[in-house]
Amino acid sequence: MRKPTERTSPWLAATGCILSVLVALIVQASPTRLVDGLTIMPTWTLMAIFLWSGVRPQFMPPIAVFAIGLTQDLLTGAPMGVWALSYLVAISVFRFRGEDGMPRDLPPVLLRFGATLLLAHGIAFAAGSFALEQMADLQPLIIEIIASILMFPLPAYLVLRRRRSRGSGFIGG
Amino acid sequence: MASRRSTRQDAEQGVRFSRTLFIALLVISGALIAFDRPASRSAPFASFRAGFTDVSAPLLDLVAQPLRGIKNIGPYWRRQGELVEENAQLRQQLIEARYWEDLAYRQRDRIEVYEDALDVESAAIEDRIGAWTVADPRGPFVRARLIGRGSDAGIQDGYPVINLYGLVGRVYETGRRSARVLLLTDLNSRVPVMADRSNARAILVGDNSEFPRLDYVGRAPDIQAGDRIVSSGDDGILPRGLPVGEAVATREGGWRVRLYSDQAPVDFVWVWPYERVTPPDQEIEPVTPTQFPPTAVDAGANQDPDEDADEEAGEEVDRAPASGGDGNATEEAL
């Protein structure tokens, strides 16, 4: 008998994963300044990577995290490798491990994400400053961190609700 | 990559990945950071980035279109009540504008006559290449815009980019169908400018703030708050006289510039085709008749594109001697 976790096709879950990461990358690079007053952009990409690595870790191997980071570098015009390196290290350090993966309660997930966010942005700042040969601008990084911390509970809540109701999995999982 | 293991292992330890691959990816990331520095980016990296933006630009443009629609919703509803009054004002302005239009045409004709007389060519307004912003990364490492036109439309690296109000930046990565514009506020942006009133020179230095700094202004610069700052064209990279912004005094006694281009979101821009003024030491020697036969060194060094075509046709081309006393012959010919 199949486990409840395997009820839905993994292809559907994989499609959901790819789509959500793509949307996150595009939104991250989209011209939000076109909309008056809206200049704050959370790191949607890191949220997507973090949540997928929690609920479906097999969809987020290091090579995928690296590719996503590199794509973000290219889309945003940052020196290549900066976000790739920071995501790779931060996710590998704070990735949920063990039998059950991501817990089903929100607070530990929020805490873990906060730590991931800080580490990722710290590495990005150091690597970016090295590439630019001068100190990178700290203000946008801080704004990104704050915006991400404020925005993350919503997608995390939706994912956890879905996870609780279906036993496991994510969109289509 | 997930390692192969039993279901039991899976349940106890979760998913595990290859450590070798992870380390390899770390090394690759580090190498990319070391070799893809904006200050010294090699041609293969630049062309790879340009190719990638070419591929991603249409997708980003799709996302930008609804955003442009959203942008217009707020102003549209806010202005509904003022439309009648605004309409009357616009009619009045239109009448006045007709006078200025006639004047502008007359001035243009006069300028054309002067330019013909002086043998001067300036970039015509019609030559400007219009482009929409398709991406707007505002990260800590770069202040740039991705625009949806590239070398296919005639855009090249270094061309200045302006919007309705003033200079936005200049093109620094060109793909076939997209280009990246380095904004004046970026850390790597350096633009020679001057005060329109006094011609006091300075360098506009981007520091990721909304108001770029004026550096190298001298000890007693003839700059006043509110002075109109324009490009000076001193480096030959940008044309002279492009409106940049307004001088603002800082508390520390320095100067910054409130950019004109910030008066509206940078959405639609024009790229201004501008040929950089070649420094004398990089100029190609003029082709003049000479009584000396061309040497092998001359054949490689003093060549211009027209000569290439002639050589291909198998014609013998006379070249000016490279230097020394032979330069007199060139001067005489000129």
Side-chain angles (χ1 to χ4, degrees):
Chain A
M1 189 178 165
R2 296 177 76 190
K3 288 194 287 185
T5 54
E6 293 166 353
R7 246 181 265 153
T8 314
S9 159
W11 292 108
L12 197 61
T15 310
C17 174
I18 292 166
L19 277 179
S20 61
V21 168
L22 268 179
V23 168
L25 280 168
I26 291 168
V27 170
Q28 195 86 41
S30 64
T32 49
R33 266 200 102 193
L34 299 182
V35 184
D36 291 340
L38 182 63
T39 55
I40 295 167
M41 179 58 70
T43 46
W44 297 110
T45 319
L46 184 61
M47 290 187 205
I49 295 173
F50 180 81
L51 290 171
W52 276 110
S53 67
V55 292
R56 290 277 185 153
Q58 66 271 33
F59 289 167
M60 275 301 153
I63 187 84
V65 177
F66 173 80
I68 293 165
L70 196 61
T71 310
Q72 186 176 332
D73 289 331
L74 290 167
L75 279 175
T76 57
M80 273 199 280
V82 169
W83 288 114
L85 179 72
S86 58
Y87 288 167
L88 204 57
V89 174
I91 289 293
S92 69
V93 170
F94 290 109
R95 186 167 67 88
F96 288 108
R97 292 180 175 82
E99 184 187 344
D100 206 24
M102 192 159 78
R104 279 155 172 77
D105 299 324
L106 195 56
V109 177
L110 293 182
L111 275 177
R112 188 75 73 109
F113 177 73
T116 312
L117 191 67
L118 284 175
L119 182 61
H121 280 72
I123 294 168
F125 177 74
S129 301
F130 173 75
L132 292 173
E133 297 169 20
Q134 56 187 316
M135 291 293 273
D137 195 4
L138 202 55
Q139 191 188 8
L141 277 175
I142 293 169
I143 292 174
E144 257 184 29
I145 290 171
I146 294 168
S148 304
I149 287 171
L150 292 174
M151 286 304 297
F152 181 71
L154 180 65
Y157 170 76
L158 293 173
V159 168
L160 290 179
R161 209 176 80 160
R162 178 117 186 147
R163 195 163 147 79
R164 279 191 216 110
S165 65
R166 303 195 74 151
S168 175
F170 194 51
I171 305 159
Chain B
M1 190 184 296
S3 60
R4 291 169 185 274
R5 74 222 158 268
S6 67
T7 313
R8 188 173 171 183
Q9 234 180 333
D10 224 356
E12 283 169 356
Q13 298 174 351
V15 178
R16 299 187 68 180
F17 300 108
S18 160
R19 188 167 292 178
T20 314
L21 179 66
F22 175 73
I23 292 167
L25 290 171
L26 285 184
V27 171
I28 292 169
S29 303
L32 284 173
I33 293 166
F35 291 111
D36 186 42
R37 297 183 184 200
S40 54
R41 184 167 286 149
S42 62
F45 276 109
S47 60
F48 174 72
R49 295 182 75 102
F52 184 88
T53 52
D54 264 354
V55 174
S56 59
L59 194 63
L60 292 166
D61 192 31
L62 273 179
V63 179
Q65 282 174 8
L67 281 171
R68 284 189 200 111
I70 293 168
K71 181 188 77 171
N72 293 327
I73 291 173
Y76 176 81
W77 287 110
R78 276 202 303 272
R79 289 190 169 189
Q80 284 303 300
E82 307 159 8
L83 273 183
V84 176
E85 192 183 339
E86 191 177 317
N87 202 12
Q89 282 176 359
L90 286 174
R91 280 177 191 282
Q92 184 62 34
Q93 282 177 11
L94 187 63
I95 293 164
E96 289 170 17
R98 281 190 186 129
Y99 163 75
W100 290 109
E101 189 185 5
D102 289 341
L103 188 66
Y105 281 131
R106 286 207 299 275
Q107 295 293 349
R108 189 191 63 181
D109 293 344
R110 285 180 68 185
I111 288 167
E112 277 176 4
V113 170
Y114 290 145
E115 283 183 349
D116 283 345
L118 295 169
D119 197 20
V120 170
E121 273 187 34
S122 58
I125 289 169
E126 300 88 61
D127 291 342
R128 294 184 301 185
I129 302 159
W132 288 99
T133 299
V134 297
D136 173 31
R138 279 174 57 82
F141 312 118
V142 70
R143 296 270 171 129
R145 298 274 183 282
L146 190 64
I147 57 172
R149 305 288 292 275
S151 56
D152 283 355
I155 293 174
Q156 289 178 23
D157 283 3
Y159 280 0
V161 179
I162 55 175
N163 72 356
L164 196 59
Y165 301 99
L167 186 66
V168 172
R170 64 174 197 273
V171 176
Y172 79 104
E173 253 179 39
T174 316
R176 282 184 58 205
R177 291 177 298 274
S178 64
R180 211 176 278 280
V181 179
L182 190 75
L183 301 185
L184 295 176
T185 51
D186 187 272
L187 278 170
N188 292 306
S189 173
R190 304 281 184 279
V191 175
V193 293
M194 64 182 186
D196 205 12
R197 180 184 55 79
S198 61
N199 283 4
R201 298 301 211 268
I203 301 287
L204 186 73
V205 178
D207 56 1
N208 275 359
S209 72
E210 297 300 317
F211 298 85
R213 210 176 55 242
L214 283 179
D215 270 5
Y216 305 106
V217 289
R219 284 185 184 172
D222 189 3
I223 298 177
Q224 293 174 4
D227 268 358
R228 185 169 179 267
I229 303 294
V230 297
S231 60
S232 67
D234 283 344
D235 56 353
I237 294 172
L238 293 180
R240 182 190 170 103
L242 291 179
V244 173
E246 202 176 279
V248 180
T250 63
R251 285 178 188 172
E252 297 81 28
W255 291 95
R256 287 186 174 266
V257 174
R258 182 184 290 117
L259 297 175
Y260 289 142
S261 57
D262 269 358
Q263 290 176 29
V266 179
D267 188 5
F268 185 81
V269 293
W270 289 285
V271 181
W272 191 310
Y274 175 74
E275 292 306 321
R276 181 183 177 184
V277 178
T278 314
D281 56 333
Q282 292 172 18
E283 270 183 11
I284 298 165
E285 294 277 334
V287 180
T288 54
T290 174
Q291 58 272 49
F292 303 107
T295 60
V297 175
D298 293 337
N302 298 332
Q303 226 169 344
D304 72 13
D306 295 331
E307 288 179 14
D308 286 340
D310 291 339
E311 274 194 358
E312 278 173 19
E315 292 174 20
E316 193 176 319
V317 179
D318 291 335
R319 295 180 187 87
S323 59
D326 301 331
N328 295 333
T330 311
E331 283 175 20
E332 282 168 18
L334 285 169

